[in-house]
């Protein structure tokens, strides 16, 4: 069902951009949902605080600095973002199995990355500057999501995980000290698993 502009309806937000893009699909008691099934849903995603922060960041470590043109919530941006999501879907599935990226998955991601670059220059004040450049503004979200995946796999690829609930399709980046996070959220899948274990013990199953 298309999502009108408004509050982000997703149960999990705030993950790194690559995983936040994967988390535009989720399943709840009403069945499967896809925020990117319409341009209106794309507008919701682009306007969500974590996405705005990543695409238009203040200078900080861990993000490509420099402002790329603002993307429009239109069909071209949506189509290119869906291409990036398909590539990330393949790569995340391999990461969940702790397998290397398949050539097909790498090619898909590299095709998205080929539409942008980080240009390094020396500024007028003598300090280095970096600016993200893309072939067209409609590539901005897709390119940033693909570039963010590179950062995740360069850092701790073992911390890229799917929720341990096999009926859940959400992903997260485990930043816990011991790397023991299993659930997209304890309030959701974690509590359901806990309740199921309690019921099994009580029923003797």
């Amino acid at each position: 069902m298309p999502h009108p502009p408004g509050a982000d309806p997703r149960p999990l937000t705030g993950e790194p951009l690559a995983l936040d893009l994967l988390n535009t699909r989720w399943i709840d008691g009403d069945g499967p949902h896809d925020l990117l099934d319409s341009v209106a849903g794309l507008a919701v995603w682009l306007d969500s605080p974590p996405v705005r922060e990543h695409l238009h960041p203040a200078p900080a470590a861990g993000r490509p600095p420099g402002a790329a043109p603002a993307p429009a919530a239109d069909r071209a941006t949506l189509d290119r973002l869906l291409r990036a999501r398909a590539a990330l879907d393949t790569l995340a599935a391999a990461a969940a199995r702790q397998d290397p990226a398949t050539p097909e998955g790498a090619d898909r991601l590299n095709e998205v990355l080929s539409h942008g670059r980080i240009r390094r220059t020396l500024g007028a004040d003598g300090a280095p500057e970096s600016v993200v450049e893309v072939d067209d503004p409609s590539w901005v979200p897709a390119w940033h999501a693909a570039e963010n995946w590179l950062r995740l796999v360069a850092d701790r690829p073992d911390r890229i995980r799917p929720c341990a609930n096999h009926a859940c399709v959400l992903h997260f980046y485990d930043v816990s000290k011991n790397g023991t996070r299993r659930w997209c959220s304890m309030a959701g899948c974690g509590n359901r698993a806990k309740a199921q274990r309690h019921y099994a013990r009580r029923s003797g199953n």
Side-chain angles (χ1 to χ4, degrees), residues 32 62 122:
L122 188 66

Side-chain angles (χ1 to χ4, degrees), residues 74-84:
D74 59 17
R75 191 71 228 180
T77 299
L78 179 59
D79 288 345
R80 287 161 180 177
L81 196 58
L82 291 174
R83 285 161 67 177

Side-chain angles (χ1 to χ4, degrees), residues 39-160:
V39 170
L42 169 64
V44 172
W45 187 75
L46 289 174
D47 196 48
S48 65
V51 175
R52 288 204 317 266
E53 179 186 355
H54 195 105
L55 297 184
H56 311 288
R63 299 191 188 98
D74 59 17
R75 191 71 228 180
T77 299
L78 179 59
D79 288 345
R80 287 161 180 177
L81 196 58
L82 291 174
R83 285 161 67 177
R85 190 176 71 175
L88 293 171
D89 217 10
T90 301
L91 294 169
R97 300 188 301 268
Q98 298 186 345
D99 289 340
T102 64
E104 178 188 7
D107 287 346
R108 284 182 170 186
L109 195 76
N110 288 336
E111 196 278 328
V112 174
L113 290 166
S114 72
H115 295 280
R117 62 210 58 85
I118 298 174
R119 180 168 58 88
R120 297 277 286 165
T121 61
L122 188 66
D125 59 357
E129 296 179 350
S130 299
V131 178
V132 173
E133 298 179 333
V134 290
D135 296 345
D136 184 89
S138 59
W139 279 107
V140 169
W143 186 89
H144 273 276
E147 197 275 343
N148 180 248
W149 179 266
L150 299 184
R151 292 174 181 267
L152 296 181
V153 297
D155 182 23
R156 296 292 299 273
D158 58 308
R159 296 296 184 100
I160 302 170

